């Protein structure tokens, strides 16, 4: 009949149109949304396409959105009538990163470091106070530089390699996961033999533009999420990014992970069988802090290699642009847990180098998605600085920070510094005074971070030959409201820990 012919013609027309949707094309795509929310059709770039069992799917990156939202979509979510073909003479513009991202901020004026800075608590700065910006570059919101013991940028790797040979490997454009590494990780599942050494390539190579481009060396297979869902304890979580789990785990709908030893298996049955054998009810390491239900465990990357590798593989699902290394020996991992009758459940962690030439107190930091936006991120940051206070030195996270990491650190630095400033008392009827170095000693926050935070808050001004910190009632009220929301804090009395001098210990 005529209606049947029209339907067939439409199908042929749609198929012909979909054949034109290739890597690099841009078009509006219906974004995954929560119930009761309005539909959104942001512009997206096609990064890859695949067809399995007659089912066609496209991997898309939403322009102006973070890469964690990239996903596979069906053709019915594409607005093909607005298809934009890639220009041959123009590549997708890449994000420009400042060279300051990989270097320390410039040293501020001597006056600012050592001279007492008056703190003015007037309602607003005087009109005559002309703001003079310090020569401290802003930190850029780029991905974190290192993933615990298994992740490191090539530049950082070269620095830390001085004086010591590492058994390490790099996931770059010319090298896939070595068989030894794949086998050592996948051998956890006793029900299966070792996986094939080389991961299977995707149906087609994705474009190396848009969100796929990076200043780091990046293998083609690492640019697309490979794990669909993980089950960790009572939570099922959708990963954000690629992580080099064994290839056979990338073809199943759910990867099951033991929440205590972080071993990964293919099925719930395997997990239940593992639980009958797994004796751990907390991370393997020393419990160095406990208050209420919150505990911190210190894990040595040399003594607990398998756990450390599993932790890094898990973290890589939620951290982008990481280069994975096999060697965990030079790192310590501090895992935060929440206790109930079943055991100590992992909430988040941070890692740090045993010996850091740059005095970094954090290499990588992550709060798992189910625990985000509950104050645990700031608690991890606060704990890292508490360790620095015990060591008697200032510290800073490794740069550059991720977008979420930068927000968390900026918020922590602001609240911590303002907490000191608002409690300062006048001396002899004059305005209270404090130096930048005083703030550093009280908080263990590095000098450059203190100055950049004061600049970010627009609190520091240059007036009549000296720097003045001006606190308005509005900023004080805002600070008090923010502090009222921080229900959980680190109690230094509950920390039982002695710092080690790793330089004198010879071998880690």
């Amino acid at each position: 009949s005529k209606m049947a012919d029209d339907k067939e013609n439409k199908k042929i027309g749609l198929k012909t149109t979909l054949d034109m949707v290739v890597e690099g094309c841009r078009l509006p795509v219906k974004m995954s949304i929560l119930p009761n929310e309005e539909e959104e059709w942001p512009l997206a770039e096609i990064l890859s396409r695949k067809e399995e069992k007659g089912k066609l799917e496209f991997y898309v990156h939403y322009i102006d959105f973070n890469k964690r939202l990239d996903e596979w979509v069906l053709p019915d979510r594409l607005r093909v009538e607005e298809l934009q073909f890639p220009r041959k003479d123009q590549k997708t513009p890449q994000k420009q990163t400042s060279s300051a991202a990989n270097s320390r901020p410039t040293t501020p004026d001597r006056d600012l470091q050592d001279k007492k800075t008056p703190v003015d608590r007037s309602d607003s700065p005087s009109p005559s106070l002309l703001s003079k910006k310090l020569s401290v570059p802003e930190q850029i919101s780029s991905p974190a530089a290192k993933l615990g013991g298994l992740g490191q940028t090539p530049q950082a790797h070269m620095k830390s390699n001085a004086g010591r040979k590492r058994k390490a490997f790099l996931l770059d454009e010319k090298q896939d996961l070595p068989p030894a590494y794949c086998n050592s990780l996948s051998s956890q599942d006793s029900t299966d033999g070792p996986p094939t050494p080389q991961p299977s390539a995707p149906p087609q190579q994705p474009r190396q533009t848009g969100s796929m481009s990076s200043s780091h060396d990046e293998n083609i297979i690492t640019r697309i999420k490979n794990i669909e869902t993980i089950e960790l304890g009572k939570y099922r979580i959708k990963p954000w990014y690629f992580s080099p789990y064994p290839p056979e785990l990338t073809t199943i709908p759910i990867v099951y992970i033991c929440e205590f030893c972080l071993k990964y298996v293919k099925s719930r049955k395997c997990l239940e069988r593992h639980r009958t054998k797994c004796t751990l009810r907390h991370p393997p390491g020393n419990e160095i802090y406990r208050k209420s239900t919150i505990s911190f465990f210190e894990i040595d990357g040399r003594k607990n290699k398998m756990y450390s590798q599993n932790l890094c593989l898990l973290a890589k699902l939620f951290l982008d642009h990481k280069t994975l290394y096999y060697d965990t020996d030079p790192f310590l991992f501090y895992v935060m847990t929440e206790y109930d009758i079943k055991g100590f459940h992992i909430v988040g962690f941070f890692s740090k180098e045993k010996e850091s030439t740059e005095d970094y107190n954090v290499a990588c930091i992550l709060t798992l998605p189910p625990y985000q936006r509950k104050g645990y991120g700031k608690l991890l940051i606060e704990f890292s600085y508490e360790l620095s206070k015990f060591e008697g030195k200032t510290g800073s996270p490794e740069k550059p920070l991720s977008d979420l990491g930068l927000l968390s650190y900026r918020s922590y630095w602001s609240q911590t510094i303002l907490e000191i400033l608002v409690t300062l008392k006048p001396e002899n009827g004059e305005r209270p005074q404090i130096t930048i170095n005083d703030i550093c000693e009280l908080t263990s926050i590095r000098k450059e971070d203190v100055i950049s935070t004061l600049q970010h808050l627009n609190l520091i001004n240059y007036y009549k030959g000296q720097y003045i910190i001006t606190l308005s009632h509005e900023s004080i009220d805002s600070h008090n409201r923010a502090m009222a929301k921080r229900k959980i804090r680190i109690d230094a009395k509950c920390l039982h820990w002695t710092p080690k001098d790793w330089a004198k210990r010879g071998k880690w």
Side-chain angles (χ1 to χ4, degrees):
S1 66
K2 188 176 180 181
M3 288 182 66
D5 290 342
D6 289 343
K7 277 188 178 181
E8 191 63 30
N9 290 335
K10 281 184 180 179
K11 279 186 180 180
I12 294 170
L14 179 60
K15 188 178 186 308
T16 305
T17 307
L18 290 176
D19 287 341
M20 297 165 66
V21 181
V22 295
E23 289 80 358
C25 289
R26 294 188 176 194
L27 73 171
V29 177
K30 184 180 176 183
M31 183 180 273
S32 297
I33 56 172
L34 297 172
N36 304 322
E37 286 191 6
E38 292 184 9
E39 287 186 359
E40 285 190 53
W41 290 79
L43 188 66
E45 181 179 352
I46 304 295
L47 300 177
S48 184
R49 55 182 285 161
K50 67 180 180 181
E51 188 167 0
E52 293 178 356
K53 299 177 182 178
K55 183 181 173 184
L56 182 63
E57 289 185 287
F58 298 88
Y59 196 78
V60 301
H61 165 65
Y62 299 102
I63 309 300
D64 298 329
F65 287 86
N66 189 279
K67 186 179 169 184
R68 71 176 69 97
L69 298 178
D70 293 3
E71 60 180 337
W72 288 102
V73 300
L74 295 172
D76 60 359
R77 288 173 58 185
L78 305 180
R79 194 173 278 168
V80 291
E81 60 269 19
E82 297 181 35
L83 183 65
Q84 302 174 17
F85 293 102
R87 296 182 185 176
K88 292 183 180 180
D89 59 336
Q90 183 179 351
K91 292 184 177 180
T92 307
Q94 299 184 17
K95 292 181 181 178
Q96 297 294 321
T97 55
S98 168
S99 59
N102 295 321
S103 61
R104 284 188 176 187
T106 53
T107 305
D109 295 339
R110 191 76 186 169
D111 292 345
L112 184 58
Q113 298 175 37
D114 301 324
K115 286 187 178 180
K116 294 283 184 180
T117 306
V119 181
D120 183 7
R121 293 198 182 88
S122 60
D123 283 331
S124 58
S126 168
S128 62
L129 292 180
L130 299 177
S131 173
K132 181 177 180 180
K133 292 288 181 184
L134 302 174
S135 59
V136 182
E138 286 290 316
Q139 299 166 12
I140 62 168
S141 56
S142 298
K146 189 180 294 183
L147 173 57
L150 289 182
Q152 204 171 26
T153 57
Q155 296 90 341
H157 175 62
M158 290 171 65
K159 288 181 183 177
S160 59
N161 252 347
R164 184 172 187 266
K165 292 182 180 179
R166 287 193 188 174
K167 180 179 68 174
F169 70 88
L170 194 60
L171 285 178
D172 59 23
E173 297 287 350
K174 302 173 184 176
Q175 182 178 355
D176 288 334
L177 289 169
Y181 181 66
C182 288
N183 293 343
S184 68
L185 291 182
S186 62
S187 62
Q188 298 172 33
D189 191 349
S190 58
T191 61
D192 299 291
T196 53
Q198 301 294 337
S200 58
Q204 290 183 334
Q205 294 184 357
R207 276 173 62 83
Q208 300 183 32
T209 57
S211 72
M212 294 304 188
S213 60
S214 166
S215 58
H216 304 276
D217 290 331
E218 207 174 11
N219 191 295
I220 289 171
I221 64 168
T222 69
R223 296 187 181 123
I224 295 177
K225 297 175 196 175
N226 59 334
I227 303 295
E228 190 175 329
T229 307
I230 64 167
E231 183 171 298
L232 182 69
K234 62 182 180 180
Y235 296 106
R236 282 194 177 177
I237 312 169
K238 289 278 188 185
W240 295 351
Y241 306 110
F242 170 91
S243 183
Y245 280 96
E248 65 266 23
L249 297 181
T250 64
T251 58
I252 57 178
I254 301 174
V255 175
Y256 296 85
I257 300 176
C258 173
E259 60 180 327
F260 299 117
C261 72
L262 304 183
K263 174 182 175 179
Y264 45 83
V265 292
K266 285 183 173 182
S267 65
R268 182 179 291 279
K269 190 177 240 183
C270 291
L271 182 64
E272 288 170 357
R273 186 160 58 246
H274 164 75
R275 281 175 178 166
T276 62
K277 304 172 188 175
C278 184
T279 57
L280 281 179
R281 289 297 175 267
H282 58 77
N286 298 322
E287 186 180 10
I288 60 175
Y289 178 92
R290 183 189 292 186
K291 185 175 182 181
S292 185
T293 60
I294 299 296
S295 293
F296 279 85
F297 291 82
E298 182 183 60
I299 291 130
D300 190 324
R302 182 176 70 84
K303 294 178 181 177
N304 299 282
K305 285 190 178 183
M306 187 59 72
Y307 182 89
S308 301
Q309 290 173 4
N310 288 344
L311 179 61
C312 289
L313 282 172
L314 173 64
K316 179 65 185 70
L317 292 170
F318 307 102
L319 296 170
D320 192 19
H321 293 267
K322 296 297 179 293
T323 307
L324 296 189
Y325 282 88
Y326 181 65
D327 193 8
T328 61
D329 288 13
F331 293 89
L332 294 168
F333 298 84
Y334 295 90
V335 178
M336 180 168 66
T337 63
E338 198 172 46
Y339 175 76
D340 64 17
I341 56 172
K342 293 183 179 179
F344 295 80
H345 308 279
I346 181 171
V347 170
F349 85 101
F350 67 87
S351 60
K352 65 186 291 188
E353 286 183 293
K354 293 174 181 175
E355 291 182 85
S356 174
T357 55
E358 305 289 334
D359 284 336
Y360 292 130
N361 63 356
V362 165
C364 164
I365 187 167
L366 172 72
T367 305
L368 291 172
Y371 298 96
Q372 290 177 2
R373 303 187 65 81
K374 295 181 180 179
Y376 290 121
K378 280 199 182 71
L379 204 65
L380 281 167
I381 296 171
E382 188 177 0
F383 189 79
S384 70
Y385 280 106
E386 203 60 49
L387 296 183
S388 294
K389 289 177 186 177
F390 270 61
E391 291 173 321
K393 58 187 180 183
T394 60
S396 183
E398 206 161 286
K399 310 297 190 306
L401 293 165
S402 66
D403 54 347
L404 297 179
L406 180 64
L407 288 172
S408 296
Y409 267 96
R410 271 246 172 93
S411 178
Y412 173 79
W413 290 333
S414 300
Q415 292 179 11
T416 304
I417 293 170
L418 283 169
E419 194 171 23
I420 290 171
L421 297 180
V422 297
T423 55
L424 286 175
K425 295 180 180 178
E427 298 176 4
N428 303 323
E430 296 184 1
R431 291 173 178 171
Q433 296 193 352
I434 192 171
T435 67
I436 298 294
N437 288 337
D438 289 339
I439 297 174
C440 294
E441 287 177 18
L442 290 169
T443 62
S444 280
I445 299 174
R446 189 185 280 177
K447 177 173 55 193
E448 291 85 357
D449 296 331
V450 171
I451 294 171
S452 67
T453 302
L454 291 172
Q455 284 184 288
H456 178 70
L457 295 172
N458 280 330
L459 296 182
I460 195 162
N461 297 279
Y462 192 70
Y463 179 61
K464 291 186 177 179
Q466 64 178 335
Y467 289 92
I468 294 178
I469 296 173
T470 307
L471 287 179
S472 65
H473 288 306
E474 184 181 346
S475 60
I476 294 173
D477 291 342
S478 176
H479 166 71
N480 289 335
R481 285 194 300 272
M483 293 304 292
K485 294 178 182 177
R486 281 178 70 176
K487 304 295 182 185
I488 46 178
R489 300 289 299 272
I490 294 297
D491 186 350
K493 296 175 185 175
C494 298
L495 175 59
H496 305 284
W497 180 73
T498 304
K500 298 181 179 72
D501 188 352
W502 294 98
K504 293 181 179 179
R505 295 176 73 87
K507 184 172 176 61
W508 293 321

